[in-house]
Amino acid sequence: MEESVRRSLGRSFGPTAADYERSRPDYPAAAADWLLAGLDDSPRRRAGWPATVVELAAGTGKFTRSLVAAGHDVIAVEPAQPMLDRLVRAVPEALAVRGVAERIPLAGSSTDAVLVAQAFHWFDTEPSLAEIARVLRPGGMFGLVWNYRDESVPWVRQLSRLLGTDRSQTRHAEELIEKLEWSRLFTPPKRTTFRMWQRLDRQGLVRLVASRSYVSTMSPADREELLFNVGQLFDVTARQPDGLLLPYTTICYRAGVRKW
């Protein structure tokens, strides 16, 4: 994806903040536990200090909730003010800061963990990795998490055909992990997966699609046609009044920072 296109799509989330908050799935609690495994053994935690966890591109706080619930001091960094406003209302326990991954507004060696949920592919990879390494303390860790639709389910596969499949994004994520390894700023990443399901009614499925960056930047006519077709897919697939269960595979990576 060209840099100008990536940045344009990344900025498109602000106007869709309401749909994003109402329709995007949460994350398995086990994902946050796995990503932050080992922090309890850090010197600061053993000394009785809470871990400081930074979440980049925190959006409306979908993943922030899990981090706060785990008992950490959370700094949520988000560039889009409409998303940040919703995060403040949803997760007031987190410290909300406006900023970007390429210029993290924190001092060097000031945090125990940096996490990114469903957003690392929007970053300018090399400068953001350098910034993440800069703000991490010795022994700190970097974690990534993505939710991917399970396209082994026929109706989900049909939804992906309407949208354009996420398989290219899956490949993109794998390429980003390779860049993380090549940077030599972090230890070789570990990987795990979890399963989760999201129950959706008709409006919820349409809002989920509408919240996607490339959908929000379509022409009004193309967007209306796509959302109509998504509604039709729900009508012929769902067993009313139960709606649909959208299955996901949640993929997590974690790596330790190297401090020379």
Side-chain angles (χ1 to χ4, degrees), residues 18 52 155-156 166 244:
T52 300
W155 82 264
V156 180
D166 270 357
L244 290 170

Side-chain angles (χ1 to χ4, degrees), residues 29-30 42 44 59 71 78 107 117 124 128 165 172 175 194 200 206 221 242 245 253 255 260:
S42 68
R44 284 174 56 82
E78 165 59 40
D124 192 350
S128 63
T165 178
H172 191 197
E175 292 170 1
F194 300 95
L200 293 166
V206 171
D242 296 329
L245 277 178
Y253 298 89
W260 289 279

Side-chain angles (χ1 to χ4, degrees), residues 1-230:
M1 183 186 300
E2 292 184 4
E3 178 67 14
S4 60
V5 175
R6 181 180 60 79
R7 289 189 179 277
S8 176
L9 289 174
R11 289 192 295 267
S12 70
F13 285 111
T16 65
D19 284 336
Y20 193 104
E21 173 61 22
R22 285 194 293 256
S23 64
R24 287 295 180 105
D26 295 324
Y27 297 85
D33 293 341
W34 184 85
L35 288 168
L36 296 174
L39 284 189
D40 288 341
D41 294 328
S42 68
R44 284 174 56 82
R45 292 288 275 179
R46 290 199 299 269
W49 292 87
T52 300
V53 177
V54 173
E55 183 188 1
L56 298 177
T60 63
K62 288 288 185 176
F63 193 52
T64 319
R65 296 161 170 83
S66 297
L67 305 178
V68 168
H72 303 295
D73 287 344
V74 179
I75 302 172
V77 180
E78 165 59 40
Q81 191 62 50
M83 304 284 263
L84 202 64
D85 291 342
R86 289 184 176 274
L87 185 149
V88 169
R89 294 196 293 270
V91 200
E93 302 89 346
L95 174 62
V97 178
R98 191 170 184 183
V100 296
E102 296 83 359
R103 295 184 304 279
I104 301 174
L106 297 172
S109 299
S110 60
T111 185
D112 299 295
V114 175
L115 302 181
V116 185
Q118 210 73 23
F120 189 59
H121 50 284
W122 296 119
F123 299 171
D124 192 350
T125 308
E126 291 185 7
S128 63
L129 287 176
E131 276 289 271
I132 290 163
R134 179 185 67 82
V135 302
L136 282 168
R137 296 186 176 105
M141 60 80 56
F142 174 39
L144 296 164
V145 56
W146 281 278
N147 285 329
Y148 289 110
R149 297 188 303 272
D150 181 358
E151 294 179 348
S152 67
V153 177
W155 82 264
V156 180
R157 197 158 55 246
Q158 189 172 352
L159 176 64
S160 292
R161 282 196 292 269
L162 289 174
L163 300 180
T165 178
D166 270 357
R167 293 190 188 279
S168 61
Q169 290 192 21
T170 306
R171 288 194 298 271
H172 191 197
E174 293 167 352
E175 292 170 1
L176 292 171
I177 297 303
E178 290 181 3
K179 289 184 178 181
L180 186 154
E181 293 177 300
W182 295 340
S183 75
R184 298 178 63 82
L185 295 170
F186 302 90
T187 59
K190 298 180 180 179
R191 179 185 187 276
T192 195
T193 62
F194 300 95
R195 294 282 292 163
M196 60 170 285
W197 292 262
Q198 180 187 20
R199 185 171 292 281
L200 293 166
D201 59 15
R202 191 182 198 276
Q203 188 176 38
L205 181 62
V206 171
R207 281 177 174 164
L208 177 64
V209 171
S211 74
R212 301 182 70 85
S213 57
Y214 62 84
V215 174
S216 68
T217 57
M218 284 179 169
S219 70
D222 288 344
R223 184 167 58 251
E224 183 178 353
E225 180 181 3
L226 172 61
L227 297 181
F228 174 81
N229 289 334
V230 169

